[in-house]
Amino acid sequence: MSDQKQTNKKQQQKKKSTGGSNVPENLKGMTKEERRQYYQKLHGQKGKPQNKKQSKQQKKPKQQQNTGGSNVPENLKGMTKEERRQYYQKLREQQNPKQQNKKQSKQQKKPKQQQNTGGSNVPEHLKGMTKEERRQYYQKMREQQNPKQQQNSGGSNVPENLKGMTKGERRKYYQKLREISGEGQESVIQNKKKTQKKQAQKPKKMTKEERKKYYEQLNKQKQQQKKTWNRNYQQGTQKEQKSQNDNQKQTKHTTEMEIQKNQTKPKKTQQLSDPRVRTLTSITSHISSFKRPTTKELGVEFSESVIHPLTIELSLKFSSGRIGGTTGRCIALLNLFKILIMEVTVRARFSEDVVKMLNHNIEYLIKHRQFSYTMFSVIRTVKEWVSRVDSLEIKDAKNKMCSQIDEFLRKHIYDAEEEITEIAWKKIKPGDVILVYANSRVIEKILQKAHENKIPFRVIVVDSRPMNEGKKLLKKLDNYGIKCTFCELNAISYIIKEVTKVFIGVAVILSNGSAVGRIGTAIVAMIAKSSRVPVIVCCPSFKLSKKVQLDSLVSNEHGDPQKVLTTKNSKSVKIQNLPSDMDVVCLLWDVTPINFISLVITEYGLLPPTSMQVLIREFKDF
């Protein structure tokens, strides 16, 4: 073991002495310290630096000073950079000495120009001056030209004879004039009064006792004002009650039959005198009330030939409800326009005479029943067509107007309804139970088309008073052979459990996605939404409107209130016999919000209710 340790020590000593493969052979037997001393002696003999870094730093600047790189010519390699730069400057001066002199002259002239010239706008005789010197020069020139105007002119409002005076001199001048005319004394008196008022208005310093008295007087005045207000309010209410009683006495009928009826009647209840109570009639007072046309109202002077007899007939049909629904009324109105345009007599200009005649007839129709949004849009389009036909002859213009109206009826009503039916009947699947509310032309065609394709389904017709339009639809579907069940609106929450889909026809679809339909559609849609039944609205594109309506009280229509009071089983009550504090409200339309509608079907396809605004902007061409 000792022999092995000695051999290992010898090998380690050899490694220390050799120094590796990079050490030259003549130094392999030396240690590091011996080699270092050897190299120091060699460097000391040759006069070289001990460190390599110092030697490199000393050698490099010599090369840079002398050689200058490969681009330097041979005759300049021994020079430094500064010597070469001076050499090149001398050569340039010898070749073109004028260019270098220009640069020196510019550098010397620029600061002087900035101080003296002031730019190109300064005149030549002032270029040598500074800004302050020029400003002082211009001031002296102005003072020489008009020295008194700046002090005494007073502006353009001063007369010419007083322009040379100061303000004080002008004031004295005007005072003398007033004294001469006699107005000076009055003005002095008025000025004194003004000063006295100002002094009186100034608040005086008050003591604590004076302030207490002041506040006590204010409190007394307030209490007196409250008492007077209460008295006036009581007197006003008493006057209102007296006036109401007087009106009731005056409205009693004078005939003997009515006097006997009034004796048998119960006593009328007193009206509410409190003005803070708001009734439903005050909320709906802005809506036009229903007026049944009488023979006196229908009396028209036909000698003027302004209102056509067909308009009178149409107004009776609109008001009585024989022509109901927006599509039916639009079709009847457009057919009336065709007759009016063909029979108009042109005196001055075609467009003016036609528009006048249309306006008179439209006003007469609106008196008896209010128009819907779609009817107003149709009237607007017809008037636009009339304004574009002035260049043609009268016969050609009439024929063109009638052809445009026929095309509108065909494209936007008849063809649109057929396209909607072809899209919508495919949504009805075998075994479906479909709920329908009131009466609609489009929904009738959809159900008929589905029955013709032999799809087994059942229909639930929901109806409500006072219009009872669902009974008309029920008779038509029964004639087609469709299985139907009839239900009133108050039982819809019980029957909605069987329903799979709800189809609704509406009068107008607004730009915010909500729909205006027969009153009760909002209740149907709300109950269907709560029970997770899809609500599908079928509507052609001509019923789209740019308007927005958040509730049914913004714009609506009153129906005949007598229909609310009449029933078949019980005796009908006349409105005249009602108590004085009872009012009958019969609204015809309501608004179903966008949240209750799941799908809208138009002639352009199936669309969500949120895209109605895009459809109005892109595809509505009238």
Side-chain angles (χ1 to χ4, degrees), residues 169-282:
E169 292 173 354
R170 285 195 296 273
R171 186 167 53 77
K172 290 179 183 179
Y173 176 77
Y174 285 121
Q175 284 179 359
K176 288 179 182 178
L177 288 173
R178 287 182 192 132
E179 289 175 359
I180 292 164
S181 60
E183 295 178 357
Q185 294 178 359
E186 293 178 357
S187 63
V188 170
I189 293 163
Q190 288 178 0
N191 291 323
K192 286 181 179 178
K193 288 181 180 179
K194 287 179 182 179
T195 53
Q196 288 175 1
K197 285 181 181 180
K198 288 180 181 179
Q199 289 176 1
Q201 289 176 1
K202 287 181 180 179
K204 295 180 180 179
K205 291 183 179 180
M206 299 169 71
T207 60
K208 288 184 179 180
E209 294 178 355
E210 289 175 352
R211 282 197 293 273
K212 285 180 182 179
K213 290 179 182 179
Y214 176 74
Y215 287 119
E216 285 177 357
Q217 289 177 359
L218 284 175
N219 292 323
K220 287 179 182 179
Q221 289 177 1
K222 287 179 181 179
Q223 289 176 2
Q224 289 177 359
Q225 286 177 359
K226 285 181 181 179
K227 289 179 181 179
T228 53
W229 289 340
N230 292 322
R231 287 174 188 172
N232 293 326
Y233 179 73
Q234 290 175 2
Q235 290 176 1
T237 53
Q238 289 175 3
K239 287 180 181 179
E240 286 179 359
Q241 288 178 2
K242 287 180 182 179
S243 63
Q244 288 173 5
N245 293 321
D246 293 333
N247 291 325
Q248 289 176 8
K249 290 178 182 178
Q250 289 176 2
T251 54
K252 287 182 179 180
H253 300 285
T254 58
T255 59
E256 293 178 358
M257 294 294 290
E258 289 175 349
I259 290 164
Q260 290 176 3
K261 288 180 183 179
N262 289 324
Q263 288 175 1
T264 58
K265 280 186 201 178
K267 291 182 180 180
K268 293 183 180 180
T269 57
Q270 293 182 356
Q271 290 184 356
L272 295 169
S273 62
D274 192 355
R276 290 176 289 181
V277 176
R278 293 184 67 191
T279 59
L280 187 61
T281 53
S282 64

Side-chain angles (χ1 to χ4, degrees), residues 248-411:
Q248 289 176 8
K249 290 178 182 178
Q250 289 176 2
T251 54
K252 287 182 179 180
H253 300 285
T254 58
T255 59
E256 293 178 358
M257 294 294 290
E258 289 175 349
I259 290 164
Q260 290 176 3
K261 288 180 183 179
N262 289 324
Q263 288 175 1
T264 58
K265 280 186 201 178
K267 291 182 180 180
K268 293 183 180 180
T269 57
Q270 293 182 356
Q271 290 184 356
L272 295 169
S273 62
D274 192 355
R276 290 176 289 181
V277 176
R278 293 184 67 191
T279 59
L280 187 61
T281 53
S282 64
I283 296 167
T284 60
S285 61
H286 65 283
I287 300 167
S288 61
S289 60
F290 177 81
K291 291 181 181 180
R292 189 180 291 280
T294 59
T295 55
K296 291 181 180 180
E297 290 178 354
L298 292 171
V300 180
E301 294 179 359
F302 292 103
S303 61
E304 296 178 359
S305 69
V306 175
I307 294 168
H308 201 273
L310 288 173
T311 57
I312 299 165
E313 184 182 356
L314 193 65
S315 66
L316 287 169
K317 289 179 180 179
F318 283 173
S319 61
S320 62
R322 275 184 260 171
I323 297 173
T326 53
T327 54
R329 287 198 289 165
C330 284
I331 291 164
L333 188 66
L334 289 169
N335 289 323
L336 178 66
F337 286 167
K338 283 199 296 182
I339 294 163
L340 293 173
I341 289 163
M342 291 301 291
E343 293 183 3
V344 71
T345 56
V346 179
R347 295 175 182 175
R349 195 175 176 185
F350 180 77
S351 62
E352 291 179 358
D353 294 330
V354 171
V355 169
K356 282 181 184 178
M357 190 173 185
L358 292 175
N359 288 330
H360 286 297
N361 289 290
I362 288 161
E363 287 175 1
Y364 183 79
L365 290 169
I366 290 167
K367 284 180 184 178
H368 299 99
R369 189 172 177 184
Q370 189 178 356
F371 285 176
S372 62
Y373 290 143
T374 54
M375 295 174 80
F376 282 117
S377 65
V378 167
I379 291 162
R380 201 180 299 113
T381 53
V382 171
K383 287 181 180 179
E384 286 178 0
W385 293 341
V386 171
S387 64
R388 297 173 188 171
V389 184
D390 281 330
S391 61
L392 299 173
E393 294 182 357
I394 295 168
K395 290 182 180 180
D396 295 333
K398 288 180 179 180
N399 292 324
K400 190 172 181 180
M401 286 296 300
C402 292
S403 64
Q404 284 179 344
I405 290 166
D406 290 330
E407 188 179 356
F408 181 85
L409 289 168
R410 181 185 58 78
K411 183 179 177 182

Side-chain angles (χ1 to χ4, degrees), residues 57-74:
Q57 289 176 1
Q58 290 176 2
K59 287 179 181 178
K60 281 182 180 178
K62 287 182 180 179
Q63 288 178 0
Q64 290 177 1
Q65 289 175 6
N66 299 324
T67 60
S70 60
N71 295 323
V72 177
E74 294 179 356

Side-chain angles (χ1 to χ4, degrees), residues 548-566:
V548 176
Q549 188 173 338
L550 299 176
D551 57 4
S552 58
L553 295 174
V554 174
S555 67
N556 208 320
E557 186 180 355
H558 277 295
D560 189 359
Q562 191 65 45
K563 291 182 179 180
V564 179
L565 301 172
T566 56

